[in-house]
Structures are given as C-alpha cells and as structure tokens.
Amino acid sequence: MSLELPTPASAHGDSDAARISPRTVAHPLAVEAVADAATPESHELASASQVDDHAAADSAVQIYPGPSTDIDTPSGRPLGEAVALLMGAIVMQFAFYVFKFVSDVDILPWMRQRRISHHVDLGPKLGRCRLLIFLPPGGPNADSSPRPQGYIVHLHGGGWTTSRPEFEYIAARKMAMELKTAVVCPDYAKAPQHPHPFALMQMYAVLQWIALGGLSRVLRGKRQIHWDPTSPPFRSDRILLTGSSSGGNLAAALVLLVQAWGFYRSIPTTKEGYISAWVARSDGTGQSDTKIAALGLMYPHVEAATTFQEKLAAMPVDARKKLELPPAVSKFFLKCYLPGHIDREDIYVSPVLASDERLRMFPPTVVCTAEYDYLSGSSATFANQLSKLAVNAKLVELRKVSHAFDLARAPFSAEKRKNNRIATEKSWGAIIECFREVMDDPAF
C-alpha cells in the first residue's frame, strides 16, 4: 500500500535553480584526516601535486547541497533528556542482544566463519569505524569470473541506535557466497551520542575509503586469505549498497549524498594527512569514476515527516493488529537520531521526498516490504516513484511477516518461522538477483 506523503519544500534545494556553490557545502572530508591515505602503503593514491583549495573551488562545477545540518551542530537537548535517551538506548541494546542470542543460539559456533575485522581511521571528527568483512568461500580468488567484481556494503538496522553488524551476518554471508565478492558491514556510530547526520557522514567517508582502494589494500595484507596481488578479483570503483530498516535509510541517503559530492579520484595530503577541501569538484581532475552501481533496501525507513499515527491509519486493519514493531520503539529511535532542530523533510532524513530530478539518477534498486509493518507504505511509495521515473526498480512485498522478519527466527512458532524463512529467501534472493544482473552487465 502506498502512503500519501508531504510535498517536499523548495528549501531542500533539489531543483537546478537551488543548486549551490561548493564553498557553502559542509563536506565532511574537507577537514578530516583519513589515516590510511597518509600511510606509506597508500602513497600511490596521493596526487603528485597539491591542489590549492580556493583555486579548485573557483573551478568547481555546481553541485547539489548536502544535509541541512552539520556534524558539529549541537543537539540542543537538555541534560536530563540526553541522559534519559542514553540510558534508554543502553537498555534497548541489551534487549537486542538477548533477542539475537535466543534466536541464533543454535548457530553461534558458525558466526565467525569467513570474516575479518578491520578498524579504519576516518579522521579527528568522524573517528574510527569498525568494519566486519565477509569473504566468499575459498577466499577472494574463489571467484571463477574473469572480470573483477565490485564490493558490497551492507548497513545494518537497529533504529540508528542499537545493533551491530554481527547481528545481520546471515544476509552478509549469503551475499558473499552467492555473488563471490566481499561484503563490508560497517559498525557505524550510534545515536543518541551521534545524532543525524553523523552516521551518514561516517558512511560516506567509508565509501570514499573503499573507492580509494583502502579495502583492497587491507585484504591484500591479510595473509590468511591468500590474496593474489597480481590479479585482484574485486574492484574499488563499483560499490553495491544494501541496508535494512534504519540502515536502508542511510543507504538511500548515501545515494543522494554521492550525487551531491561524488568520489575523489585521489587525495592530496599534507604530512598531517589532511584532505584538500575541494579536490572532488575541480574541473574534471579530481572526480573519479566510482559509482554506487545498485541498491537493495530491506523494510527501509525512508520517510520521517509523516506521524506514526498517519502511517498506522494507512494500514489495513488486519495488518495493524499483527504489528510486532511497537510504534513507541520507533518514536524512541527517531527521538535519539533526530534532535528537535533537524528538518524531518530534509531528503537526507526522508529520501522519498527527494525531487524527481534526484530520484531519476538512482541506480537499479530493489525495495522489500513486510505486510505487518507501518513503514511499508512509504517504502512502496518510494519504489513506485522510482519506477515511474524509469529507474530499474523492483518492489518485493512480503506477506504474513513483520518488520525485521529476516532476523527473527521465531524459535517458538513453527508457522511464523516458516513464513519468515520464505520471506527471507524471496527478499534477499531478489536483491542478489538484481546485483548479479548488474555485475554481469558488460557496462559494469
């Protein structure tokens, strides 16, 4: 079912007339130090000549605006509210751990198979981010395809507030096995300590690090996976992006952010490792060919402007009675992630409200929704909008399941367990099929 959504305001800056100069964009990498870009192993990524910030800005093309708030903007929360939200988030995280332990206790010994962990330093503002990297069976050289594959980046759900990438290992391992490529699952910074747009900016920096070859260098350095440096099977300039729930929100917003800022071809660095501010948008010399090649969204949260009461009212009565994600929980998550000053109609908060011009540039996309989920209306609207704009978009509607069905193994209900298993196979199967088609395309 589609949901009637508010019309995006022109203040969002989506139209051509509202594009702004790069000087006014708060680019997170303009003042960040990416440690990996300054190491001896990565000097090949640095430009031979330093680019003057102002000269590059003057020659830059016009771009779309970034988020309406900056990572340095104070949340403005009273101390009591901030403490209450933090304590609530801790309780939620503990409850999630218990839930996953009960669900997955029978397969815990196999959770660590074919994966490695790596911390990437994204600079003094964005900090360090832990990456969980799942590899195909037999290591990177198991791919029999003569053409190198792109990387998959999966962003886990949890209301921007809880969860860890380990909790969604089944989907990550399935994609690694079936698509014969590496799947990267970042443990992004959580609210309420890090409200919007911190996680979004951090994930953009991770994508930039991958695009610059950071992940390929890490994998080459892991002796236990037997990387052959003369024939790397993965390519850094093609990234396929997936996300579940709040991770789906971040994934869709990242597509918009990459439209606005693109990827660097190289990072001129000083001895401190600081990134030159405007290299990405200089006159064709700094912009790389890296792109997000496909997008897979599982029961995503793509719209925050509509109240939960309106979303519930748009659902069929029978589906409303079978909800498993309480609206109060979602309200708490949104309160943690979006302080009062955040515009909930900002397209980086509500990607479904982006202009047709922006949506038309989306890559092939699969959107999966659950019947007993009040987020399904806006998700269906998002998929339908993409299809109307001639984007290769597919809506997969899963029946008789609730939000996060692929995580809930339902050990105490055989019927629910069966429904969840069928929906999981259908949804992730559709995403994998889309990704495989993109990877097999000669233009990839």
Side-chain angles (χ1 to χ4, degrees):
M1 174 181 294
S2 297
L3 183 68
E4 179 113 10
L5 300 174
T7 302
S10 59
H12 299 169
D14 278 341
S15 66
D16 287 335
R19 294 184 187 181
I20 60 176
S21 164
R23 288 184 182 276
T24 63
V25 175
H27 197 299
L29 299 184
V31 293
E32 289 300 315
V34 177
D36 285 355
T39 59
E41 294 82 1
S42 60
H43 280 320
E44 71 274 9
L45 297 176
S47 173
S49 61
Q50 299 298 310
V51 178
D52 178 77
D53 292 353
H54 297 294
D58 290 338
S59 64
V61 298
Q62 295 225 325
I63 59 177
Y64 296 103
S68 58
T69 190
D70 189 76
I71 59 175
D72 294 324
T73 304
S75 68
R77 292 179 174 131
L79 178 60
E81 178 182 327
V83 172
L85 290 176
L86 179 59
M87 295 304 295
I90 293 173
V91 171
M92 287 282 191
Q93 182 71 294
F94 176 77
F96 205 84
Y97 270 99
V98 172
F99 164 76
K100 285 301 293 176
F101 179 81
V102 171
S103 296
D104 294 344
V105 66
D106 59 326
I107 48 179
L108 285 176
W110 291 271
M111 288 177 64
R112 295 187 61 86
Q113 289 184 346
R114 299 303 309 159
R115 78 182 196 198
I116 59 176
S117 182
H118 177 73
H119 287 80
V120 57
D121 190 344
L122 301 173
K125 285 189 176 182
L126 295 177
R128 288 166 62 83
C129 181
R130 183 175 66 92
L131 308 178
L132 203 60
I133 306 165
F134 292 82
L135 301 169
N141 291 321
D143 184 14
S144 59
S145 171
R147 296 192 305 113
Q149 303 286 31
Y151 287 111
I152 296 174
V153 177
H154 175 68
L155 305 178
H156 65 81
W160 308 276
T161 305
T162 66
S163 191
R164 292 161 65 88
E166 285 85 350
F167 294 163
E168 300 187 16
Y169 72 96
I170 293 178
R173 192 169 61 181
K174 182 178 180 66
M175 287 188 287
M177 291 176 64
E178 296 200 19
L179 294 172
K180 302 295 188 294
T181 190
V183 179
V184 184
C185 303
D187 190 6
Y188 53 84
K190 305 298 191 297
Q193 303 98 310
H194 301 287
H196 176 80
F198 195 96
L200 177 63
M201 299 298 189
Q202 194 181 52
M203 292 304 94
Y204 172 76
V206 167
L207 295 188
Q208 178 63 70
W209 174 77
I210 293 173
L212 285 167
L215 181 57
S216 294
R217 294 195 304 277
V218 168
L219 293 181
R220 289 191 192 102
K222 298 290 184 180
R223 295 182 179 178
Q224 69 270 29
I225 63 175
H226 309 294
W227 181 281
D228 179 3
T230 64
S231 181
F234 308 142
R235 53 188 296 184
S236 300
D237 62 343
R238 293 295 181 268
I239 298 173
L240 301 97
L241 198 55
T242 69
S244 301
S245 192
S246 56
N249 172 277
L250 292 174
L254 277 171
V255 173
L256 294 169
L257 195 57
V258 169
Q259 289 176 6
W261 288 338
F263 288 105
Y264 292 90
R265 174 176 291 124
S266 61
I267 297 183
T269 60
T270 66
K271 62 181 179 180
E272 293 87 5
Y274 283 55
I275 296 172
S276 186
W278 305 116
V279 179
R281 288 293 172 174
S282 60
D283 53 354
T285 61
Q287 194 69 178
S288 80
D289 294 328
T290 302
K291 67 177 182 179
I292 296 176
L295 179 65
L297 304 178
M298 289 286 286
Y299 40 82
H301 191 295
V302 293
E303 196 271 320
T306 303
T307 65
F308 285 105
Q309 287 77 9
E310 292 174 295
K311 291 178 180 179
L312 287 170
M315 294 181 66
V317 176
D318 291 343
R320 199 183 313 160
K321 293 178 179 179
K322 297 180 181 180
L323 288 175
E324 293 187 7
L325 177 63
V329 173
S330 292
K331 289 179 182 179
F332 172 78
F333 287 153
L334 278 178
K335 193 172 185 64
C336 289
Y337 184 60
L338 301 176
H341 68 276
I342 300 293
D343 178 9
R344 294 195 176 194
E345 293 188 8
D346 186 318
I347 63 171
Y348 298 100
V349 174
S350 299
V352 70
L353 299 182
S355 68
D356 289 353
E357 177 187 359
R358 303 291 297 276
L359 294 178
R360 194 174 284 113
M361 293 187 286
F362 264 63
T365 300
V366 176
V367 180
C368 302
T369 65
E371 182 178 7
Y372 309 144
D373 183 9
Y374 43 82
L375 301 182
S376 61
S378 55
S379 299
T381 299
F382 183 60
N384 292 332
Q385 285 180 336
L386 292 176
S387 295
K388 290 177 182 178
L389 295 170
V391 174
N392 180 8
K394 181 178 182 180
L395 174 63
V396 181
E397 298 179 298
L398 291 315
R399 305 300 180 188
K400 300 181 180 180
V401 290
S402 299
H403 190 84
F405 56 83
D406 59 327
L407 304 182
R409 290 166 59 82
F412 308 115
S413 172
E415 181 182 2
K416 185 181 297 184
R417 185 162 60 249
K418 176 184 176 182
N419 292 337
N420 288 351
R421 183 179 67 252
I422 292 172
T424 298
E425 292 174 356
K426 183 178 179 181
S427 56
W428 282 111
I431 291 175
I432 289 172
E433 180 183 3
C434 172
F435 284 12
R436 183 177 288 115
E437 290 177 358
V438 169
M439 288 179 169
D440 289 343
D441 190 327
F444 182 75

